[in-house]
Amino acid sequence: MPENYLALAKQRRTIYALGKDLPLPDDDVIQTIQDAIKQAPSAFNSQSSRALILLGNEHNKFWELVREQLRKIVPAESFHATSDKLDGFAAAAGSVLFFEDQDVVTGLQEQFAAYADNFPIWSEHSSGIAQYAVWLALAEKGIGANLQHYNPLVDEDVQRTWNIPASWKLRAHMNFGSIIAPAGDKAYMDDAKRFIVAK
């Protein structure tokens, strides 16, 4: 099992060239994402992670919202490159928007006052674990993905468009789809600069 996990971890890469032809039915992809998030650990078993799963036109709508917000802040002479980048994200089959429920965080702060300062940090840990769990689960199914962060730029648009509860804080968005082109080679820094082992 550990060897299988490490093989999967190596298979998971940031894939930018994504298409709309998923190898599984939409319902199976949705279930995979939901199961991965449900199995992701969280501090105090808080289960603070939330997700908005967008497919088809709803996925395209999200990237149009991002485009319109960026149009307001990116100089006109530079916007073509930005728009091309967004076209690449919109070319994917869908996206998962990851949130952390702040009502859960504040509830834990009130319940366990001694750890109050830590719960926002642990919430971020939970979100990162959920994102990685989904990424691995999609990779295992042969679905490529990349992770983006246009929050808080689009937070209000997302909340209004999909009726997101006010307590949900957007942390990241992951595009997923068929793999049109694989990721390039990955470089690794020297282990001696990254790890300290004491035994």
Side-chain angles (χ1 to χ4, degrees), residues 64-84:
E64 284 308 309
L65 293 175
V66 175
R67 191 187 312 273
E68 290 312 306
Q69 287 298 331
L70 287 172
R71 194 185 303 277
K72 298 174 185 177
I73 62 172
V74 175
E77 62 273 14
S78 307
F79 188 73
H80 181 71
T82 297
S83 186
D84 287 348

Side-chain angles (χ1 to χ4, degrees), residues 13 26 49 63 99 110 116 118 131 134 140 152 169 189:
R13 297 292 308 280
D26 288 354
S49 295
W63 285 107
F99 301 81
E110 292 167 2
N118 290 323
Q131 293 163 36
V134 170
E140 194 271 333
K169 184 177 182 182
M189 66 185 298

Side-chain angles (χ1 to χ4, degrees), residues 7 11 14 37 43 49 54 57 66 82 96 115 129 133 142 164 166-167 170 185 188 192 196:
Q11 179 182 328
T14 296
I37 293 173
S49 295
L54 302 173
N57 289 333
V66 175
T82 297
V96 186
Y115 303 110
I129 293 169
I164 301 299
S167 64
L170 183 59
D185 292 336
Y188 296 91
I196 296 174

Side-chain angles (χ1 to χ4, degrees), residues 20-123:
K20 297 191 181 294
D21 298 320
L22 292 170
L24 300 173
D26 288 354
D27 286 347
D28 290 352
V29 175
I30 292 166
Q31 192 63 58
T32 296
I33 293 166
Q34 291 175 338
D35 287 346
I37 293 173
K38 286 167 68 174
Q39 297 306 320
S42 56
F44 286 65
N45 192 31
S46 63
Q47 302 178 53
S48 55
S49 295
R50 306 286 183 265
L52 169 65
I53 304 168
L54 302 173
L55 291 153
N57 289 333
E58 296 299 302
H59 161 76
N60 296 336
K61 183 187 298 182
F62 170 73
W63 285 107
E64 284 308 309
L65 293 175
V66 175
R67 191 187 312 273
E68 290 312 306
Q69 287 298 331
L70 287 172
R71 194 185 303 277
K72 298 174 185 177
I73 62 172
V74 175
E77 62 273 14
S78 307
F79 188 73
H80 181 71
T82 297
S83 186
D84 287 348
K85 184 177 181 181
L86 298 179
D87 286 344
F89 297 147
S95 48
V96 186
L97 278 64
F98 293 89
F99 301 81
E100 283 292 302
D101 191 338
Q102 301 307 295
D103 282 352
V104 173
V105 176
T106 56
L108 287 167
Q109 287 176 309
E110 292 167 2
Q111 188 176 357
F112 301 100
Y115 303 110
D117 291 344
N118 290 323
F119 283 112
I121 299 169
W122 293 339
S123 169

Side-chain angles (χ1 to χ4, degrees), residues 159-191:
Q159 185 178 12
R160 182 172 56 253
T161 302
W162 287 284
N163 197 29
I164 301 299
S167 64
W168 290 22
K169 184 177 182 182
L170 183 59
R171 306 315 299 137
H173 17 279
M174 180 181 292
N175 300 304
F176 61 86
S178 52
I179 300 173
I180 304 299
D185 292 336
K186 185 174 182 178
Y188 296 91
M189 66 185 298
D190 187 85
D191 284 357

